[in-house]
Amino acid sequence: MFNNTATLRFKDPFRKAHVINIKYLIPTLISEHSEINLEQGLILLIKNKLSKLEITDKKGRQIISEEHVKHIKSKLQKDKENGLSNLCPKCGSSLKLRKGKYRTFKGCSFFPKCRYTAS
């Protein structure tokens, strides 16, 4: 489940994934999985639990976002100190060896959204 601004990034390969916006989860379950008999009480319970996960106010989203960025930065810093960092310091994706016109360099695998490069 993702909100409207989410970007899906993954490292492990998988065969099939369903990415569904939270507000479309229940209707999708009902329409695409008719073999699942969802009782009205269960649907209300699921909606209630999902509503607790969704952050609707701007300040709450900002706090969560800041905490997430701090966590990512501290993890990158620890990896860098341990010499394990082959990750982009801007977005956290892996760095790939790339051939340029004049030299070989490391560039972010999330290019063109992230344009970080290292020598």
Side-chain angles (χ1 to χ4, degrees):
M1 297 176 306
F2 296 94
N3 66 19
N4 292 334
T5 60
T7 302
L8 178 64
R9 284 194 263 168
F10 55 91
K11 292 181 183 177
D12 298 327
F14 56 88
R15 292 184 182 172
K16 191 175 185 181
H18 296 281
V19 179
I20 299 173
N21 188 301
I22 274 182
K23 64 184 176 184
Y24 301 122
L25 180 63
I26 298 293
T28 302
L29 283 174
I30 292 170
S31 67
E32 292 187 17
H33 300 285
S34 58
E35 73 276 3
I36 301 173
N37 186 13
L38 294 176
E39 298 170 3
Q40 196 62 27
L42 183 58
I43 291 172
L44 290 174
L45 179 68
I46 292 170
K47 284 182 177 179
N48 186 23
K49 289 193 183 260
L50 289 175
S51 68
K52 290 178 183 176
L53 294 174
E54 192 172 17
I55 301 165
T56 54
D57 65 296
K58 213 172 192 179
K59 183 135 179 132
R61 286 184 186 181
Q62 183 179 4
I63 291 169
I64 296 293
S65 177
E66 288 171 359
E67 288 174 0
H68 179 67
V69 168
K70 283 180 190 176
H71 174 73
I72 296 291
K73 285 183 177 180
S74 70
K75 187 177 183 311
L76 288 173
Q77 184 64 32
K78 286 177 186 175
D79 288 349
K80 195 174 189 178
E81 289 169 0
N82 295 336
L84 300 174
S85 183
N86 198 25
L87 299 175
C88 174
K90 280 188 170 181
C91 71
S93 295
S94 62
L95 295 177
K96 288 186 173 182
L97 200 58
R98 303 195 182 266
K99 282 187 177 181
K101 188 174 180 180
Y102 301 105
R103 63 183 173 90
T104 304
F105 63 94
K106 284 186 176 184
C108 182
S109 62
F110 207 53
F111 178 85
K113 284 191 175 183
C114 179
R115 296 183 170 267
Y116 176 80
T117 59
S119 299

